[in-house]
């Protein structure tokens, strides 16, 4: 099992930046795939970005949903056992609760929530226009 705690959310103006953190305990993040998802009010939880486990037989994979490509960057600091989501050029439509999640089994990055085994509690990101 792994415990995930997100932080770094807040209120920012359109065009601004935030960096979300996902601190893990109980398991090293390098041994799992990490995904970032978001959920806006009245909408389903959607995939934002993901990075697969280190040492995967298919190599290093990073995936982004189309709407954040070129603006968001996912990364992982193995020494701190923390994953990050750097969000630049934020838009009002990025407003949502952001969650990090861990997938213990897949070699690739899964883009659906049901593929993930552990979830953080979420952090609110609000972008004012």
């Amino acid at each position: 099992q792994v415990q995930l705690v997100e932080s770094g959310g807040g209120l920012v103006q359109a065009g601004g930046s935030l960096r979300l953190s996902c601190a893990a305990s109980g398991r090293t993040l390098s041994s799992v795939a990490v995904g970032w998802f978001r959920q806006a009010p009245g909408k389903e939880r959607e995939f934002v970005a993901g990075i697969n486990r280190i040492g995967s037989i298919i190599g290093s994979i990073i995936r982004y949903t189309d709407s954040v490509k070129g603006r968001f960057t996912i990364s992982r600091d193995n020494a701190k056992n923390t994953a990050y989501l750097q969000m630049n050029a934020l838009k009002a439509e990025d407003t949502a609760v952001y969650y990090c999640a861990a997938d213990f089994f897949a070699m690739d990055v899964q883009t659906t929530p049901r593929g993930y085994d552990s979830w953080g509690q979420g952090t609110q990101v609000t972008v004012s226009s």
Side-chain angles (χ1 to χ4, degrees):
Q1 193 58 273
V2 62
Q3 290 75 46
L4 304 172
V5 178
E6 301 97 333
S7 61
L11 174 64
V12 64
Q13 289 187 335
S17 298
L18 284 174
R19 188 177 77 159
L20 305 184
S21 299
C22 174
S25 60
R27 189 162 177 170
T28 57
L29 278 185
S30 61
S31 68
V32 303
V34 177
W36 283 96
F37 289 77
R38 64 187 179 187
Q39 188 166 18
K43 295 188 177 181
E44 294 186 352
R45 191 168 297 190
E46 66 168 350
F47 174 80
V48 176
I51 183 170
N52 67 341
R53 66 174 66 186
I54 290 176
S56 170
I57 59 174
I58 62 174
S60 178
I61 301 291
I62 291 178
R63 300 191 187 279
Y64 298 96
T65 192
D66 286 346
S67 63
V68 308
K69 286 180 180 176
R71 300 189 299 123
F72 290 12
T73 303
I74 188 172
S75 62
R76 180 171 45 203
D77 185 328
N78 296 328
K80 295 182 178 180
N81 210 29
T82 299
Y84 301 97
L85 184 68
Q86 177 67 43
M87 306 186 297
N88 299 328
L90 282 161
K91 304 175 181 180
E93 51 263 43
D94 295 319
T95 295
V97 177
Y98 283 70
Y99 300 89
C100 67
D103 174 358
F104 297 162
F105 303 108
M107 291 291 121
D108 201 340
V109 173
Q110 298 198 71
T111 59
T112 58
R114 64 178 178 270
Y116 290 78
D117 306 291
S118 290
W119 290 82
Q121 82 290 348
T123 186
Q124 176 71 47
V125 171
T126 303
V127 183
S128 63
S129 56

